[in-house]
Amino acid sequence: MPHLTVEYSANLMPHDVLLQLNRALVASGQFEESDIKSRLLKMDDFLIGTTAQGRAFVHVKLAILAGRSIDIKRELSQNLLAVLQNTCIWPTDLSVQLCVEIQDIERESYAKTTI
């Protein structure tokens, strides 16, 4: 835990963003560095509103074990959004929507092991 998924429209190339997002999660003090699992998913088929022309998106989903306060979740969300805003160079010819979503995973049903 946690699981970080970055989905982005195919007209963007947010390379190196995973390392910066992971560093922000470690800096939060909420997670052990070796527990963070991140992935980057390019969305080849996407639509924003009624067109994809001139538009792009990055959607970060952070799934964490339930039990953290709304203040901690808000801080995590704001920190991850700041990383997106400040570490990536976004195309000036696109309107890029950046968003972060925090999801709770039920502790009672989550299973994990290291082998």
Side-chain angles (χ1 to χ4, degrees), residues 7 14 17 21 26 28 37 42-43 50 57-58 66 75 77 84 87 96 101:
E7 297 175 343
V17 72
L21 292 169
V26 171
S28 75
K37 285 142 317 266
K42 180 172 80 170
M43 300 290 122
T50 59
F57 74 90
V58 177
E75 182 177 337
S77 179
L84 291 177
T87 64
V96 182
E101 174 185 3

Side-chain angles (χ1 to χ4, degrees), residues 58-79:
V58 177
H59 182 97
V60 174
K61 296 178 192 176
L62 178 64
I64 58 177
L65 288 176
R68 289 181 177 81
S69 71
I70 191 67
D71 290 333
I72 290 173
K73 291 187 227 180
R74 185 179 301 115
E75 182 177 337
L76 289 167
S77 179
Q78 291 170 350
N79 289 346

Side-chain angles (χ1 to χ4, degrees), residues 38-67:
S38 301
R39 68 239 352 129
L40 193 60
L41 303 173
K42 180 172 80 170
M43 300 290 122
D44 289 318
D45 298 316
F46 70 95
L47 188 65
I48 300 169
T50 59
T51 184
Q53 186 174 9
R55 299 175 181 170
F57 74 90
V58 177
H59 182 97
V60 174
K61 296 178 192 176
L62 178 64
I64 58 177
L65 288 176

